Amino acid sequence: MLIGELAERAGTSPRTLRYYEEHGLIHPRRDANGYRQYDDGELRLVHEIRSLLADGFGVDDIKPFVACLRAGNSAGHVCPDSAAVLRRRLAEVDGYLDQLTVVRDRLRTQLEEIRCQMNP
């Protein structure tokens, strides 16, 4: 399929697909006239890429997932390199949650102080 069809089927734009190609995430074939040609495997990769981006992963973090799928695995997260990225991202998210918990507790304390001052 051509880039426009892949973009439509994947719910993205040709420009985005060219960006993914520039970063080595997808690899179209070129036909005789230079047009990019994609197969259904690339569509699956684009769906995985978009899902990971939506979850906050960066382009470099996504590369092991793409490599895992290209190696013929049923999912992008089952390979050791992908699992390492998942562990690192989970630790980051846990850190953010810890920070947010501190902020939430501080806000609750301040609101409780206000309530106590208004209702002595």
Side-chain angles (χ1 to χ4, degrees):
M1 74 188 91
L2 295 173
I3 194 168
E5 182 182 352
L6 177 62
E8 184 176 324
R9 289 178 63 187
T12 191
S13 69
R15 182 177 181 176
T16 298
L17 296 176
R18 287 189 293 273
Y19 176 83
Y20 295 165
E21 180 184 356
E22 181 180 307
H23 288 278
L25 297 174
I26 59 175
H27 305 289
R29 295 180 325 277
R30 296 282 183 154
D31 61 18
N33 59 8
Y35 290 123
R36 292 171 174 89
Q37 289 288 334
Y38 300 90
D39 58 28
D40 286 336
E42 296 299 310
L43 176 61
R44 180 175 180 216
L45 290 177
V46 171
H47 284 300
E48 179 83 1
I49 292 164
R50 289 176 49 82
S51 175
L52 291 165
L53 287 170
D55 286 343
F57 288 83
V59 170
D60 288 334
D61 288 337
I62 293 170
K63 289 179 181 180
F65 295 85
V66 170
C68 190
L69 287 171
R70 284 196 187 284
N73 293 289
S74 61
H77 67 276
V78 300
C79 295
D81 290 344
S82 303
V85 171
L86 289 174
R87 282 190 291 278
R88 183 179 49 76
R89 288 289 294 151
L90 181 59
E92 290 172 6
V93 169
D94 285 342
Y96 296 143
L97 289 173
D98 291 344
Q99 291 173 356
L100 288 171
T101 299
V102 169
V103 170
R104 182 185 63 204
D105 291 346
R106 185 175 38 239
L107 294 172
R108 282 184 176 160
T109 299
Q110 291 171 347
L111 286 171
E112 183 61 25
E113 288 173 2
I114 292 169
R115 190 188 67 73
C116 289
Q117 289 175 0
M118 295 180 83
N119 298 319

